[in-house]
Amino acid sequence: TVAVKAVSDNLPLIFDSVEYQNQAGNIYTVNKLQFYLSRFKLWKDGILESSSDSVVYIDMSSNNGNFIFSLSGIKYGEYDALSFCVGLDSLHNISNSLTPSADNFNMAWPDQMGGGYHFMKLEGKFKASGMVYGLAIHLGKNAHLVTNELEGNFTVNSSRDTIQLNMNINEWFRVPEIYDFNIDGNYSMGSDNAMLKLCRNGEDVFGD
């Protein structure tokens, strides 16, 4: 079992109401956070010990910033590293390749822009110069697949089989490059440069 929680630095992510601030000083709120997780792998001493083929769609905005799911194929054991992707690899990121459902249809990436699926949708509003603007940070396309690698004690057995993952959404906008909505764009979908910056920053958005 994997439990996912969304935060903004030390604050829990609360939708439609709480204002947050990123490294660039942008003040924003969030009303939608949806993404795929896939390619789960558990490691011991640099050796792949267990993996799962599960592709998991997560809608944090309809679950109060929390989501729990189960993985198939994970063996009991002691592990020291976990890796997974935010998004879909090239074998799965093909239009209509996932099981037909309202959620998967909603995450479709337009065929005229390359097809496949959105890896992530982070939407809301942000303030600048006394004005309020829409915010749609979308990530997709094979070149922007994000891999997270976590080191730690990951124990999976009959009495301890839940791994906690926390997504810090401010990490999308911080390291290694500061992402500023006023400069890099508050709508990322049409900009490969914006998505590439998000992809690089996304490598450490999760912690345990």
Side-chain angles (χ1 to χ4, degrees):
T1 302
V2 180
V4 182
K5 181 179 181 180
V7 300
S8 179
D9 291 332
N10 295 320
L11 300 174
L13 188 62
I14 300 175
F15 293 87
D16 294 314
S17 57
V18 176
E19 293 185 338
Y20 303 97
Q21 183 172 345
N22 65 17
Q23 193 73 20
N26 305 137
I27 304 298
Y28 66 95
T29 58
V30 177
N31 60 33
K32 179 185 292 185
L33 178 57
Q34 301 165 332
F35 52 91
Y36 289 105
L37 296 182
S38 64
R39 299 190 69 181
F40 287 86
K41 298 180 180 180
L42 284 158
W43 307 78
K44 180 70 172 181
D45 298 326
I47 299 173
L48 177 62
E49 297 285 353
S50 189
S51 63
S52 174
D53 293 329
S54 298
V55 173
V56 183
Y57 167 77
I58 296 177
D59 184 355
M60 303 298 284
S61 40
S62 64
N63 290 275
N64 299 314
N66 295 275
F67 196 93
I68 297 176
F69 63 92
S70 296
L71 291 175
S72 60
I74 299 299
K75 300 181 293 185
Y76 285 170
E78 299 280 342
Y79 308 98
D80 59 20
L82 167 69
S83 65
F84 56 90
C85 292
V86 182
L88 307 171
D89 63 25
S90 58
L91 295 177
H92 295 89
N93 192 36
I94 300 170
S95 296
N96 303 313
S97 68
L98 299 181
T99 303
S101 69
D103 293 331
N104 290 332
F105 288 139
N106 175 63
M107 294 293 280
W109 194 267
D111 286 335
Q112 63 269 29
M113 298 179 70
Y117 295 89
H118 284 77
F119 296 163
M120 181 188 70
K121 291 183 178 181
L122 176 87
E123 299 180 4
K125 298 178 181 178
F126 87 102
K127 294 181 178 179
S129 303
M131 302 291 288
V132 178
Y133 300 91
L135 182 66
I137 301 300
H138 290 191
L139 192 63
K141 304 174 72 172
N142 293 336
H144 308 129
L145 180 64
V146 179
T147 299
N148 272 236
E149 299 179 357
L150 306 177
E151 295 183 353
N153 177 25
F154 299 101
T155 301
V156 182
N157 57 39
S158 59
S159 60
R160 185 182 178 188
D161 64 353
T162 297
I163 295 173
Q164 177 70 48
L165 298 176
N166 297 325
M167 176 191 271
N168 184 353
I169 60 172
N170 264 347
E171 294 294 344
W172 288 108
F173 312 121
R174 181 156 49 210
V175 177
E177 301 179 70
I178 293 177
Y179 189 106
D180 188 330
F181 301 152
N182 295 296
I183 298 172
D184 299 294
N186 53 324
Y187 293 91
S188 63
M189 188 173 177
S191 171
D192 283 339
N193 288 334
M195 289 191 292
L196 183 59
K197 182 176 284 193
L198 292 166
C199 175
R200 292 169 177 164
N201 290 352
E203 293 180 359
D204 61 354
V205 296
F206 276 97
D208 57 355

